[in-house]
Amino acid sequence: MKLVFLGEKKENIKYNFRETCFGIVYKNNEFYLTEKGKELSLIGGGVEEGESHLETLKREFIEESGLTITECSNFVTIDCFWYTKDKRNMESLANFYIVKVSDIIIEPTEKDSKLVKVSKEELISKLPLPYQKKAIELYLEKINKGII
């Protein structure tokens, strides 16, 4: 998987670390996201201890969207150093996968989560996290070049 660095790791700063996995779902000219409260995100989340990336994705997709993964392929890993809204220095090691899902959608197991579909044109403006925006920019570059 390709590794991209985003942000700058500063000396003498302690970073909170979190490894995550997210799926990029582009189906019928729409991207599938999850909405929690008023915030949108690619579907995915934190890797739990002892869990593989595929296990993380499968669990998060059911929890957040009610979707079942049928295919999954590596896309990019982004090691991002950033400052959160709640004033924490973060290092997020975010693993992104291109995901295909079944047409059957069940109720997400996380009650505060819902599946949202957005167009390619509105996607970047809807994502608040810097590493998710970067992954989508890279994905759209490949679409525009006809690689995906």
Side-chain angles (χ1 to χ4, degrees):
M1 196 179 308
K2 179 181 175 181
L3 178 60
V4 173
F5 293 93
L6 188 61
E8 182 183 340
K9 184 175 185 177
K10 297 178 180 163
E11 297 297 318
N12 303 320
I13 290 181
K14 182 177 173 163
Y15 290 88
N16 294 298
F17 178 80
R18 186 167 188 228
E19 183 176 13
T20 55
C21 291
F22 296 95
I24 299 172
V25 180
Y26 184 58
K27 187 173 182 176
N28 301 322
N29 295 316
E30 294 179 305
F31 283 91
Y32 288 27
L33 304 176
T34 187
E35 181 178 41
K36 293 180 184 177
K38 294 183 181 186
E39 203 159 279
L40 294 177
S41 171
L42 292 173
I43 303 166
V47 177
E48 293 181 359
E49 190 173 332
E51 199 174 49
S52 72
H53 288 183
L54 183 57
E55 290 168 334
T56 298
L57 285 171
K58 286 181 176 181
R59 175 181 52 76
E60 291 286 352
F61 266 66
I62 291 293
E63 288 176 359
E64 295 181 353
S65 68
L67 293 168
T68 303
I69 294 173
T70 59
E71 288 182 46
C72 182
S73 60
N74 294 340
F75 181 59
V76 67
T77 295
I78 299 177
D79 195 358
C80 181
F81 297 91
W82 61 297
Y83 193 65
T84 68
K85 284 189 235 178
D86 60 351
K87 302 180 179 6
R88 291 181 298 136
N89 290 299
M90 247 352 252
E91 178 185 4
S92 296
L93 186 63
N95 304 282
F96 294 89
Y97 292 82
I98 297 171
V99 172
K100 294 189 186 216
V101 294
S102 98
D103 290 330
I104 300 166
I105 302 173
I106 62 170
E107 187 69 27
T109 59
E110 285 183 2
K111 297 302 176 204
D112 64 339
S113 217
K114 74 176 188 178
L115 178 64
V116 176
K117 299 174 186 177
V118 299
S119 70
K120 182 169 58 169
E121 294 73 28
E122 62 184 330
L123 179 62
I124 294 281
S125 67
K126 301 248 182 213
L127 294 174
L129 297 173
Y131 50 90
Q132 289 189 7
K133 284 185 180 194
K134 183 64 175 178
I136 290 301
E137 287 170 5
L138 294 170
Y139 186 81
L140 291 173
E141 281 177 22
K142 293 201 179 274
I143 285 178
N144 293 335
K145 291 179 181 175
I147 297 171
I148 295 179

